[in-house]
Structure formats: structure tokens, C-alpha cells
Amino acid sequence: MAITTVLTGVKPTGQPHIGNYLGAIRPALELSSEPNTETWLFIADYHTLTTTPDPKRLREMTYEVAATWLACGLDPNKTVFYRQSDIPEILELSWILSCFTPKGLMNRAHAYKAKVQENQEAGKEDLDFGVNMGLYSYPVLMAADILVFSAHKVPVGEDQVQHLEIARDIAQKFNRQYGEIMKVPQAVVPKVGKNVPGLDGRKMSKSYDNSILMFEEPARLKKLVGRIKTDSLPPEAPKSTDGSIIFDIYQAFAIPDQIATLKSKFEAGISWGAAKEELFQVMDEALRGPREKYKQLMADKSYIDGLLKQGAERARANAVPFMHKVRQAIGVGS
Ligand code: TRP
């Protein structure tokens, strides 16, 4: 049976919220337990550098991402787990690929176009204001992340699908010139069903200030759940589960029996306070284990460093010979 290589990268941007957990982390971990797949997961710290964060903060955020995935159940024996910046071959390939990337292709990349539009709307004369070359060629680095490990499938959110198209274009262009060296990857967009709503009912997002972070202490978690927007129906009135933020989040954490029970309580009439208490209980139960594990991991960064180093060694065992082949093909090096 052929092995499928599934690879994805996560940009360090701070502690994830439960929308990230339910929409990205949990599905990726489920995927990694499928038979005949080999999963690769890395922390895309060089991608975060395009926004030049404070160095201390960048390092800290890298640990936060690593600890989050480990706390949620990533098994570093099964998944090749590493830091992008520990694999110099990625940067080497990135330069090579940039020589096969038409500039016009980058002009059309969403993140760059959004920045240009922002400048336009702000009436800036220089439409490239605030755009560094790292941001501009972000998709090339992402292509290198994927192609250097000959990944077959790349689970990503909807917003990253264009980057995968670009990676495919670049791989094909390279192959037309040098033969079938690059594996042409495929994007896989996990079906998340409905978006997880935030406290105010809009999509959960840090920029809306409506998020529940994954590792909140119980008292704070309870307080946040208490902030979820509800209507002014009296306690005894029957309530619809449709469009209920409380019920939507509950469903993501509870087992089918619990979901059915809460549904009948809604129909019979339950106070919003009691419904929120049930939601808090089920979330606290699901998140307690990961929260404890996260704290332990964050208290011992050298353990995380050790794991990531081992992961990088495994990754480089593939990247080094691959780059040898690439260098031979293009006519550089010895
Ligand atoms: N650009 C991705 C994001 O912002 C992260 C990422 C970097 C990535 N390199 C990747 C995802 C390679 C998949 C494959 O979410």
C-alpha cells in the first residue's frame, strides 16, 4: 500500500482560540491517525517574520504553537514535527523556486493584493507601502515548504487554497524544464461544517474580540461563557437550538447523548444561565487535560526544543538528498 504524505504548516501567532482548535487542530490530528498516511507538521516561523515581530515574542509564540499541538494530542513519534527555521534546505529551495516564479503570479496573490488595496483606500501614493519582499514572495516560501518534502496532500483553510495553486504552478513549471522532480501537491480543505461562532455570534476571531482562548483557566472560561450573547426570553420559554451560539459551541464539545439531552432541555425551557453552566461544564471537561499538559510543556521549553530538533533531523534526512537532486538538475554545486 502506497503511503500518502500529508503536510501542513502553522504560523506562530499566539495562543489559539477554540475556533482554531475545532476548525484546524482537531481535524488535522484526526487526519494524522488515518492508516497509510505519514503526517508532517511544522511551525512556519519564517512566515511570521514577514510581519517582523519582536524577537522574544516570535520565539515565545513558536513555543506556544508547539505546546498547543502537543497538548492536543500530536504524537511526535508518528508525526514529523519541526520548526521551519531548522531546515535550511527550505530557504535554499525557496530561492531556486523564485527563479521559476513569474513576478505577475505574485502580483495576483491575495495577501499582497489586500495590502495594495488597503494602501489605495488610505490614499497612499506608494501602493507598495509597508510591503517587504518576504510578504510579497510568501507563496514561494510556502511552495518550498511543501515541495522539499514531496508532500501529496496539504490540509489548509479556504484562505490558503490560492497558495496551493501557486505551489502547483511553480512545481509544474520546474518539471517542464528539468523532468519530474517536484511532486505536484494537492490542497485538502477540511469540511468544518459551520463556523464556530464567537461570543457575539460572528465568526470567532481574535480581531473581533469575541474569542475564547484554548487554555483559559476555569474561572475565566466561565466568565467568557457568561458573556455569550443571548436573547431576552424568560427562563421557562421553550428555546430554539437553531442559531443558538451556546448550543453550537456545546455540540462541538459534547457527545451525542449529551447533545440530545440539552436539546430537549432547550425545548422544555431552560434559563440562559443554566444553559451556559452546561456549556461551561462540557468545555472545561474537554479542555482540562490539554490545559494541564500545555502548562507543563510551557514550563519546560528544553523538552520542546529537544522534540523539535529530533523532528528536524528526520525532516532533513529527506530534504538533504532531495536538494542534492535539485542542485544536480539545475547545474549548481558539485
Ligand atoms: N501560510 C499558512 C497560513 O498562514 C501557513 C503555512 C506556511 C503553510 N507554509 C505552509 C500551510 C505549507 C501549509 C503548507 O496558514
Side-chain angles (χ1 to χ4, degrees), residues 10-242:
V10 190
K11 233 164 60 168
T13 53
Q15 201 192 110
H17 56 59
I18 60 163
N20 303 133
Y21 171 63
L22 300 169
I25 301 176
R26 203 164 70 175
L29 289 172
E30 278 162 11
L31 202 64
S32 72
S33 55
E34 278 181 16
N36 304 315
T37 47
E38 186 176 87
T39 46
W40 295 60
L41 190 112
F42 70 94
I43 305 168
D45 47 355
Y46 273 139
H47 275 110
T48 295
L49 189 64
T50 60
T51 57
T52 41
D54 169 73
K56 265 211 211 106
R57 187 65 197 125
L58 177 54
R59 198 176 291 285
E60 187 69 12
M61 289 193 297
T62 302
Y63 287 123
E64 285 171 8
V65 185
T68 298
W69 282 80
L70 292 165
C72 292
L74 179 139
D75 177 352
N77 292 314
K78 281 206 239 144
T79 297
V80 187
F81 186 44
Y82 55 97
R83 264 194 196 104
Q84 183 185 37
S85 58
D86 283 340
I87 319 290
E89 290 73 22
I90 294 175
L91 292 187
E92 184 184 358
L93 183 60
S94 184
W95 170 258
I96 297 169
L97 295 179
S98 74
C99 300
F100 294 85
T101 309
K103 178 173 173 286
L105 193 60
M106 295 296 95
N107 289 340
R108 292 192 291 277
H110 292 322
Y112 171 64
K113 269 174 59 181
K115 201 84 191 165
V116 168
Q117 196 183 343
E118 210 179 278
N119 285 333
Q120 225 155 17
E121 283 163 9
K124 290 243 168 34
E125 205 167 305
D126 177 8
L127 294 184
D128 284 334
F129 180 81
V131 177
N132 59 49
M133 283 304 292
L135 173 72
Y136 186 64
S137 53
Y138 184 111
V140 181
L141 179 57
M142 187 159 156
D145 290 330
I146 299 166
L147 299 176
V148 78
F149 298 116
S150 306
H152 300 110
K153 293 190 178 173
V154 184
V156 282
E158 205 63 70
D159 62 321
Q160 298 293 315
V161 170
Q162 189 200 30
H163 291 157
L164 258 290
E165 294 294 326
I166 294 174
R168 292 166 61 88
D169 276 6
I170 299 175
Q172 282 160 344
K173 196 147 186 287
F174 186 94
N175 286 350
R176 271 199 294 280
Q177 182 110 5
Y178 299 109
E180 297 295 308
I181 291 179
M182 305 286 168
K183 177 118 220 131
V184 181
Q186 236 180 18
V188 196
V189 181
K191 286 193 206 66
V192 197
K194 249 162 82 178
N195 278 330
V196 181
L199 302 177
D200 57 0
R202 289 186 292 175
K203 183 179 178 201
M204 188 174 286
S205 159
K206 281 189 187 166
S207 50
Y208 293 155
D209 191 27
N210 65 356
S211 302
I212 301 178
L213 296 185
M214 268 207 76
F215 306 115
E216 301 285 11
E217 289 300 327
R220 164 114 179 119
L221 178 61
K222 202 176 182 124
K223 220 162 144 184
L224 286 169
V225 170
R227 264 180 53 196
I228 294 176
K229 206 169 114 191
T230 51
D231 56 30
S232 52
L233 284 177
E236 65 284 359
K239 310 214 163 40
S240 170
T241 51
D242 265 2

